Each structure stands twice: as C-alpha cells, then as structure tokens.
Amino acid sequence: MDVDSDSDISLFGDEDPRAKGKGKGKASERPRKGKAKRKAKEQAYTWEASYTRSWDTVQEDETGSLQGSVEDLMARGRRRRLLAPASAIRRTIIRHLVLILDLSNSMMDRDFRPTRFDLALRYAREFVAEWFDQNPLGQIGVVGMRSGLGERVGEMSGNPQDVLRSLSDRAKLEPAGEPSLQNAIEMARGNMSHLPTQSSREILIIYGSLTTCDPGNIHETLEVCVKSRIRISIIALAAEMKICRELSDKTGGKFGVAMNEGHFKDLLFELVPPPVQQATIRNAGSGSGNPPADLMMMGFPTRLPDTSTPSLCACHSDMKSEGFLCPRCMAKVCDVPTDCDICGLMIVSSPHLARSYHHLFPVKPYEAVASLDDTSQSASACHACARPFPAAPSSGVVTEGISPLGRYRCPDCHHDFCTECDVFVHDVVHCCPGCGK
Amino acid sequence: MEAEADKPSHLAVIVDLSPTQWYLSAQASNPYPLSIESFLSQILAFLNAHIATKNENTLAVFGAFPGKSVMLYASTETLVDEPPPLDANSYPPFKMVDTTVTQRIFRELDTIDPGDEPPCALVGALTKALCYINRITLPSISTSVAEGSTNVPDPRILILSVSPDLSSSYIPIMNAIFSAQKLKVTIDVCKIYGPDTVFLQQAAHLTNGSYIFLERRDALLQYLIMSFLPPPSVRKVLAVPRQDKIDFRAACFCHKNIVDIGFVCSVCLSIFCQPVPVCSTCRTKFPIKALQRLKSACPSPAPATPRPLANLNNAVPRTTEATNHGTPGLR
Ligand SMILES: [Zn+2]
Ligand SMILES: [Zn+2]
Ligand SMILES: [Zn+2]
Ligand SMILES: [Zn+2]
Ligand SMILES: [Zn+2]
Ligand SMILES: [Zn+2]
C-alpha cells in the first residue's frame, strides 16, 4: 500500500506546523485513511461496501500470506513509538468535556448502519466509558441539538454511570427538527463557565447535518470560545462544513469527517487520551487550553468490604456496610473520587491516578537487532515469554525498524525480546520485564 | 462447550524467593515457623494438584530472586538440560514439574552473592508472567482463529509473597495491574510472611482476585488448595475468603514513602508527600500562593480531630469507629 499524499481531503494533515510531536506520529497514518476514504467516495452508499472494508486494510502478498502486511502494521507501530518524544510530556489531566450530539432529523439517515443516530449513540456510550477510564478526574456533560435549540441531556458529572444513564434512553433522545450549533455551543459554554482555571474545557460535537439554524452570528460565539480557551472538536458524519472546520481550527481542536463506521470510531477514540499540554508549543493567543498548574492535596482512602459492620455514610446518611474512609477525618463516604463531606479533603482512589503514569515514564523503545555478530553470548529465547528465536534470519525485504532475527533489545538491560513482547511491553504493560521498571 | 467452569485454566505462580525473608520466616521465634524446604514441598504438591485437575491445564512458574527474575517452569518449554529419569513410582508430568522447579531454584540460589542482597525482582517476574500469558492467549498468526479461540485457557496469576512492599516499584506494579485487567487475568495473592503489602492488596482487588494473609502458616497447603486451586469461575459458588479492607495508599514520587494524604501535581498527577515548589516529573512550577496555603493546611502528624457533630446539618450519630474492626466473612 503506497502513500498517496495528494489525498484530496486531508483530515488533520494540514494542522498547524508548529504543533510538533503531537502531529508527527499520527500524520504517518493519515494517508492510508485518506485512501480508504476516497474509495468510499466512489461508492454511493457506505453500507453497500461495509462488508468489504476490512479487506482494504490488509493485503495478501504474492504467495497469499498475510505475514507481510501484519509485519508492515507492526513496523508502523514501532516507527511511531520511535518518533514519540522520550521525555515526559505535559498532558492535561483534569479535563472537562461537553459532548454535543446532533439530534436533528438528518441523524435518521441510514448511511451509517443501523442509523446515524443509533450508531452515534452507541459509540458515544463506548466513548464515555473509555474516556473516564483514561481521564479519571475528568467530567462530562451532554447537550443535544434538536428543533433549533440546545437541550441539556446530562449535567456535568464525574461519574461515568450518571453520564451513561443520560445516554441510555433512546426514546428521550429521538431526533427532531433542525440543529443549531450556536445555541448548543452557548449552552455548553454556560455549563463550563464556573470551572476552575486549572482544568481544560473541551467541546466535542458529533454532527450529522449540513446546515445550522442560529439565532445570531456564530462567529461571535467562536470569538468568545477562543477567549475562554474552549477547545472545540467536531466529527462530521455527512461532509465538511466551512464553519465546522473554522470552529475547530481556531480553538485548537480537531476536525474530521467520518467515512464509515470504523473510521467514525477511530476519529472519536482519538480524542480519548489526555491532550498534550500545548503551552510550550503554541502561543497563548491561539486559544488552546493552557491552565496554570497547581498542587492539590488529595487523600487516599481505605475501602471497607461489604462484610463490615454497617454504619451511616457521611454523604447520604444511608446505613450501609461498604464505603471508603477519609484518611484525614475517618468519615465514611459512598464513592470516590469526591470531596470529603466532613473535612473537605479531595478523596481519590490512587489506582485512578496511576492509570496515567505510563504517559510520564514510557519504556525506552527497543532496538531492532540487525545481526548477531556483535554479541557472542545471545539468548536462544525471548527473555520475557521464552518463545524461541528463529535460528536463521528471515529472508525477504528488510523493512525499516523490523529485525530480520525477530529480536528487539532493551537499551538498558540488554535482554532480547520477541516481536509480540516488544509490542505488548510498549503498548500494554509499559514496564520492561528485564529492567523491572 | 458447556459451562465456563469447564474451560482449562492457565496458572502462573510467582514465588518470592528472598533468602533473608525465608531465613527470618524459618526462625523458631515465629508463631508458626515455615522453612523454605517445607514451603517448596507444599508448593510442589499444589502445582501437581493444578495439573491433575484437568488434562488441558497449563502451568508456568516464575521465581523472583534478589535483583533478578527467572522462569522456573512452563508447560510449553523444556527448561532443564536432561529430562528426569523415568521412575516407576511417580507420574511423569509431576516428576517433570518437581525436578525442573527445584533444580532451577537451587541453581539460582547458588549464584546469589551472599554479600549484599538487592530487593526481589517481583515486578520482573510479574511482567514476564503477563508476557507469557499474552503469548499463549494471543491467537497466533500460524494457527487458525477457530482453533485458537476454543482452546485458550483462562489465565490467572498467583503471587506467593514474603517480602514487604517495595515502594519504588509502585508505578510498574500499577502498570502490571492495568495490563492484567486488559488481558482479563485474575491476580491472587497469598501473603506468607511479613506485613500486609498495600500494592498487592490493590492488585488482587482490582483484578477480582483474593488476597489472603496466611495466619496459620503450618496449614499453607490447605490454604492453597481451598482458596487458590479452583479457578475464578468456580469460586463464586465456593465462598472463597476475600480480603477485608483494602488500603488505597500510594507511594510518593519524591521519597518513595507510602502516604495516605499526598500533594498531587495537577498537570501530571505525580504524588508528593509534602508541598514542593516544582514538580520533579514534569518541571511545572507551582504558584507560591498555593504552596503557602498547602503548607498551612499540611496534615500534622497527629490525626486531625473531626469537627463536632453538632455542626453537621443532619446531625446523625457517627459510627465510623465501629466499622474499623471487620467482621468475619459471613454473608
Ligand atoms: Zn452516601
Ligand atoms: Zn474527611
Ligand atoms: Zn516474547
Ligand atoms: Zn530492559
Ligand atoms: Zn516524598
Ligand atoms: Zn507534574
């Protein structure tokens, strides 16, 4: 699959060139999607092609084996890792997001199956669950665009269950009328106006329409959003609209047009990881969120099992067994994270914080071992999983970043690892089995 | 395929083999002294029981030695140079496990430098166990998908711990826990000697495993067979003992102290045990005002006294103290 860089619709490719580090790795993947998308454009309806899509991404070689494409995918992943900055990067951890769902008539289109609306709702639920997993201290509010108005669907909440509940009732969200971008954005802005300065403010719009019916000048709303450092990201389900592109460009957000179900999900889930803090990259004038840093006092509680003696909780005065004890005043609260109702201490469960630590201390990329000449004593099996290494180097085209011997060496402990472990260690475990850190 | 309980299971056992801790454990001054020899014979009986439970069951054993972790046994690998001679009185698979594990343990123990003893490489052993599970559960490219999906065993990890918490391994242990969650691996912990470890308690809790503090150390084998032999799918009906309280404390990044109230950088969530002017992880400078405010609010060593109850809007008698002693696990 060759790189066609003249893709007519670039997604995030024409991003601000100053946004280094962030764009680089991703940009290498873009052209592929651009191609898949153009293919999609040739067909009248996405659903006609939805069964063939998955074959587009993987291709057999002359002998009919998939090995080549799989290795290619892995090489791509490896190169992306090598490009990523090795030092710790600043990420926004305390995030506030308002999810704006298009609930207008155009969402009943069936080009995404079963309908745009059903698919958007399903992905939105998956997005919320994943988002809270990676942004444990964040909050999400939900706003709908229906009948020319902005509708508050779910209040800002840090509890995934609350947000999911607001998205669970399909009947209540039944699409109707025209959407209004301005009304919805104004409402989202109102939801976030009270927030402390050290948190990010983001708006994510899932937009199915090609029109917006606004009461005033939406460019004024855009100006205000830039001023209050609200980042607007938009995923369009129909086609690109100039105002949508402008909203996301000027506020430092992302814009993308979903071409099919899988692409829609990709675009959505790209917004899950905490964004790199852009303070050092962009000037304050460009309006990206750069809240001042702060040191917060937090307490790590003790969890009581459901077999302990029942007692009243400090938050609801309910009689129950399980709960969390505030480490400062020993009051019992029902759920974390929360502020202690008695002493005001912010109580979080430490595993919540720990979920983001692999961003801070990434494992050094392993070096692909090109030949075994340099070391006489080399292990015969992977140091982590004991899978034996191939004795002879594989013949065939040597791809950059791929070891012909299937060996990848840790620069610190000098142990050799197999391809699968290399991927697993860097993408999942975030800890080198040889160094133990 | 009938019930889930019918699936084979893969058990990865991580044995903490710190010479110092085992020496202390064998001292006669302990209520129930347990020597490493007696421990090994009980653990081998347990491993044999696991293999015997189901023909398809697989096993991997990892040793955490001072500063080094080693794979001691794996069902798919031959790790000894010569297979043990056949013996009419023993079942060959049992014999294979027993000789491989003991041989490799003694070989490693012999190479240990008696001078200084670095802490045990529990993290290395844990990540290796996860890599191995990833290897055997991942449908490999060569085998067809249909075949792979039915025969993949249910994976779990059992950690037999004798060392105290190593606070410098807080982050790697947490990372290992999250990857275990992703792979749907249950982590069980049996604390054989020494104080409770906060991190392993969290590991068991977050992966739905059991954390058991061995009180009667003379009954190790019974604990192992009753609590850790049945796979998690069967334990629902067995009422296996679960842990009582879970301590959610974390280790600070600056001194590696285990803290219950910490100061957290809002940018990267690094934890510090006292207010610091600059975050050592992400180099963020904190405003002076916030520092002064936090310094004044800094928790004194003595526990802060709770405010009088009368100040509460809904003045209810607080019975927090009563909850502090857990009741026996009756449900
Ligand atoms: Zn409550
Ligand atoms: Zn409190
Ligand atoms: Zn490996
Ligand atoms: Zn290493
Ligand atoms: Zn400290
Ligand atoms: Zn920091």
Side-chain angles (χ1 to χ4, degrees), chain A residues 67 70 88 90-94 136-137 198 277 292-312 314-317 324-325 327-332 341-345 348-358 360-361 383-388 420-421 424-425 427-434 436-437, chain B residues 69 71 77 123-124 127-128 130-132 134-135 138 141 170-172 174-176 178-179 181-183 202 205-206 243-250 253 259-272 275-276 281-282 284-287 290-291 293-294 297 299 304 306-307 312 314 316-320 322-325 327 329-331:
Chain A
Q67 193 73 39
V70 172
R90 292 178 50 162
R91 285 175 183 275
T92 314
I93 301 282
I94 304 189
L137 299 179
Q198 67 260 49
Q277 280 232 338
D294 202 359
L295 201 57
M296 303 167 291
M297 183 149 74
M298 290 186 187
F300 308 115
T302 302
R303 182 182 175 275
L304 296 173
D306 50 8
T307 47
S308 60
T309 321
S311 60
L312 295 171
C315 36
H316 314 86
S317 304
F324 295 85
L325 292 184
R328 186 156 71 181
C329 67
M330 299 306 273
K332 184 166 120 177
D341 290 271
I342 308 299
C343 69
L345 181 70
V348 295
S349 130
S350 51
H352 272 155
L353 302 185
R355 267 187 200 283
S356 62
Y357 289 159
H358 67 261
L360 305 178
F361 309 104
H383 184 68
C385 70
R387 188 199 310 260
E420 276 81 2
C421 288
F424 183 67
V425 163
D427 290 354
V428 183
V429 186
H430 304 294
C431 167
C432 172
K437 60 182 181 248
Chain B
S69 59
M71 176 186 265
E77 308 298 319
V123 173
T127 41
K128 277 180 191 166
L130 288 167
C131 284
Y132 186 73
N134 180 53
R135 169 186 159 190
L138 203 73
I141 306 159
Y170 172 62
I171 295 171
M174 294 316 282
N175 283 338
F178 299 134
S179 22
Q181 285 181 331
K182 274 202 185 120
L183 291 176
Q202 296 183 16
H205 171 67
L206 294 170
Q243 67 216 87
D244 221 27
K245 280 192 277 182
I246 302 130
D247 200 326
F248 274 119
R249 283 180 300 169
F253 286 25
V259 293
D260 57 5
I261 295 180
F263 298 88
V264 177
C265 166
S266 71
V267 176
C268 67
L269 297 188
S270 297
I271 303 169
F272 303 98
V276 287
T281 312
C282 67
T284 302
K285 288 197 181 70
F286 301 119
L291 278 183
R293 178 170 47 82
L294 288 171
R307 271 185 274 166
L312 289 168
N314 42 1
V316 283
R318 291 259 317 286
T319 50
T320 335
T323 62
N324 281 349
H325 37 80
T327 46
L330 294 174
R331 286 193 233 180

Side-chain angles (χ1 to χ4, degrees), chain B residues 252 254-257 272-273:
Chain B
C252 76
C254 40
H255 311 86
K256 312 285 178 208
N257 291 335
F272 303 98
C273 57

